[in-house]
Amino acid sequence: MNYRELVNNGTPLLDVRSDAEFNEGHIEGAVNIPVNDVQRRMDEVKKLGSPLIVCCLSGGRAGVAKALIEAAGVKEVYNAGGWESLL
C-alpha cells in the first residue's frame, strides 16, 4: 500500500504523536490527536472518515490508535508507521 500516494490524494491523516512532537514537524494537513486522547476524542476521529491513515514517530503508537479506532467501528484504518516516511 502506498500511504504517501493516499495522503497526497486526500485520504485523511491522523498523527498520534504528542502535541510537542507534532509542533516540531508534521505533514501538512495532518490532524493531531495524541494516542492518549484517541478514545476520549473518538467522535473527532470518526468525523475524519474512512479510509484513515494513522502515523506517529515509528509506528508503535499508530498501531495502538489503529486498534482503538477499529474497535470503535471504523473499518478501514491503516498504520503508516513513522510520519517522516510520508514526506
Side-chain angles (χ1 to χ4, degrees):
M1 175 97 29
N2 187 332
Y3 299 117
R4 184 181 307 164
E5 184 176 316
L6 288 174
V7 169
N8 289 340
N9 288 330
T11 301
L13 176 62
L14 176 63
D15 189 323
V16 297
R17 294 177 296 146
S18 69
D19 292 332
E21 289 173 302
F22 185 81
N23 290 333
E24 288 177 8
H26 60 271
I27 303 292
E28 186 176 337
V31 174
N32 179 227
I33 300 177
V35 68
N36 293 337
D37 296 338
V38 166
Q39 277 190 301
R40 182 176 57 80
R41 297 174 61 184
M42 191 59 71
D43 287 343
E44 289 175 67
V45 173
K46 287 182 173 183
K47 286 180 184 174
L48 295 173
S50 177
L52 177 63
I53 298 172
V54 183
C55 69
C56 61
L57 184 62
S58 64
R61 288 175 283 181
V64 171
K66 177 183 185 293
L68 292 170
I69 296 164
E70 288 175 331
V74 178
K75 300 210 184 300
E76 200 174 350
V77 185
Y78 300 105
N79 179 350
W83 73 277
E84 290 180 321
S85 70
L86 300 171
L87 291 174

